[in-house]
Amino acid sequence: MGIFIILAAGLGLWVFYRVMIKEPIFPWMEKKNNGPTPYKAKSGKKKGLEYEEEEEPEPFQELFSDIREISNHMIRFNNNKFVMVFEVDPCNYFLLSQDEQEQIDISFETWLSQISYNVQFYLQSRYVDLSEPIENMKKSMEEDEGLNEHAYEYGKSLVNNLLDWQRSTPRYETKMFLTTSMIINEKDIRAEDAEELEEKLVDKAFAELYRRFGTAKNALRKADMDVQLLTSDGIAQTLYYAFNRRKAVTNKFKDLGLKEMLALYCTADQSQNRIEAVKERIDNEQKDKEKVVQEESQAS
């Protein structure tokens, strides 16, 4: 009888041990894999294991298939929806006194009660980039002829410490934005031709959205928050940081313009005939897009 008790206790301990290490109770049983399916290499096998093929990501352009252009400090969609973006420089709310916080709350609530249109808040985390301040410090040190040796060594050590601080651990800063949008119906605008219609569409959208910008700037200024309108380049830069957050530290957006990577066509030495031909093709494609958009709007 004692032998059976010992065997039962040993069997229970064995089952408990195999369950705890997540192994099958019997060694000859196949282990179940409930984890995520690994990536499948093109060869199909790696160290005797087979992997499922990973789907190719969607083309980047398909993410913005409904965006027509970024111009006139606005994002324009194919359905004549216009979006304007404002950058907000926030105040240090929690370092203020109770009365100061109360004044900020009143100003912010007053602005919210005044608006009757769509406003969205957008927060963007970016890596802290000290390259520009460091370059300014180096330039000042080199151009200052009256700088003594000890001051120069101190500045040099400060620059090195800043570089080490930035490389040691990724640090972030939060950018705050406001976005507002509106859709304009072409039937509400009277125009003699397509060119006049286009001009009136853009003017009407910019006038209304800029009025909203002025309202936000005046109201939030009383709350000690500065509001600035993002230009077309500023909107493009914000989108660039959104999709290239880590890469944007080394491949800066401003360098893209300096290296002419934003040009519509090649800016190397070309003949005048070739340049005119490229410009004409760009204009023709733009007109074709506008024609398609106009036909879709009329059909709807």
Side-chain angles (χ1 to χ4, degrees):
M1 186 66 180
I3 296 177
F4 290 106
I5 294 176
I6 294 174
L7 291 176
L11 180 61
L13 291 175
W14 170 259
V15 172
F16 176 77
Y17 169 73
R18 300 296 288 184
V19 170
M20 291 299 295
I21 65 175
K22 297 181 180 181
E23 294 288 340
I25 297 176
F26 301 102
W28 57 84
M29 293 178 62
E30 182 180 359
K31 182 180 177 180
K32 296 181 180 180
N33 184 13
N34 296 326
T37 304
Y39 170 75
K40 182 178 180 181
K42 292 184 178 181
S43 58
K45 292 184 179 181
K46 184 178 181 181
K47 297 182 180 179
L49 300 177
E50 294 186 357
Y51 302 94
E52 293 184 2
E53 293 185 359
E54 184 181 31
E55 295 182 359
E56 290 291 334
E58 297 293 336
F60 184 79
Q61 187 176 0
E62 292 188 6
L63 296 174
F64 303 98
S65 59
D66 56 341
I67 291 183
R68 178 174 176 178
E69 61 181 353
I70 299 176
S71 62
N72 300 300
H73 312 325
M74 297 179 293
I75 305 175
R76 183 176 181 180
F77 292 79
N78 291 331
N79 61 346
N80 287 329
K81 176 183 178 181
F82 294 85
V83 178
M84 190 172 281
V85 186
F86 322 136
E87 183 174 359
V88 181
D89 186 13
C91 62
N92 204 333
Y93 182 83
F94 295 103
L95 291 182
L96 302 178
S97 64
Q98 183 68 29
D99 294 337
E100 291 172 333
Q101 291 181 358
E102 186 69 21
Q103 292 299 321
I104 290 176
D105 293 340
I106 293 174
S107 300
F108 188 71
E109 291 172 3
T110 302
W111 172 66
L112 291 179
S113 63
Q114 291 176 350
I115 61 178
S116 58
Y117 39 81
N118 180 28
V119 174
Q120 292 181 329
F121 299 86
Y122 172 57
L123 305 181
Q124 185 180 87
S125 296
R126 297 183 184 179
Y127 283 96
V128 175
D129 184 15
L130 299 177
S131 59
E132 188 171 348
I134 290 175
E135 289 297 327
N136 294 334
M137 293 173 61
K138 290 181 178 179
K139 185 177 180 180
S140 299
M141 291 167 55
E142 294 174 355
E143 294 178 353
D144 191 354
E145 298 179 355
L147 193 65
N148 58 53
E149 182 179 357
H150 295 288
Y152 181 81
E153 291 297 329
Y154 173 78
K156 186 177 179 180
S157 62
L158 178 61
V159 168
N160 293 332
N161 290 334
L162 290 176
L163 291 173
D164 294 337
W165 179 84
Q166 181 168 295
R167 286 193 297 259
S168 60
T169 304
R171 292 173 171 85
Y172 301 90
E173 61 178 345
T174 302
K175 295 289 186 179
M176 301 183 181
F177 302 94
L178 292 175
T179 66
T180 181
S181 61
M182 66 176 301
I183 298 178
I184 299 180
N185 191 350
E186 294 182 354
K187 298 179 180 179
D188 299 335
I189 299 178
R190 296 181 179 180
E192 296 181 356
D193 51 23
E195 184 177 354
E196 184 180 0
L197 176 63
E198 176 71 15
E199 183 179 354
K200 288 187 176 181
L201 276 173
V202 175
D203 291 343
K204 183 177 181 180
F206 184 83
E208 172 60 24
L209 296 179
Y210 192 81
R211 183 189 65 82
R212 300 179 185 180
F213 162 70
T215 303
K217 185 176 181 65
N218 294 332
L220 297 182
R221 181 173 53 190
K222 300 176 182 179
D224 200 19
M225 289 184 282
D226 187 28
V227 181
Q228 297 295 331
L229 174 65
L230 284 189
T231 62
S232 299
D233 289 340
I235 296 174
Q237 183 179 6
T238 303
L239 294 175
Y240 178 76
Y241 273 98
F243 293 95
N244 302 276
R245 188 171 65 170
R246 183 180 296 274
K247 189 185 298 184
V249 179
T250 54
N251 301 330
K252 299 178 178 57
F253 180 80
K254 64 178 183 180
D255 295 336
L256 300 180
L258 294 176
K259 296 178 181 179
E260 299 182 354
M261 297 177 65
L262 301 177
L264 293 177
Y265 48 87
C266 180
T267 55
D269 293 336
Q270 300 287 338
S271 64
Q272 187 64 28
N273 293 334
R274 183 178 180 85
I275 294 176
E276 294 297 333
V278 173
K279 289 182 177 180
E280 183 179 359
R281 178 170 296 182
I282 293 174
D283 293 338
N284 292 336
E285 291 183 357
Q286 184 65 26
K287 291 179 181 178
D288 292 340
K289 291 182 179 179
E290 294 176 357
K291 184 178 180 181
V292 171
V293 172
Q294 187 174 4
E295 291 177 352
E296 292 178 352
S297 61
Q298 292 177 355
S300 60

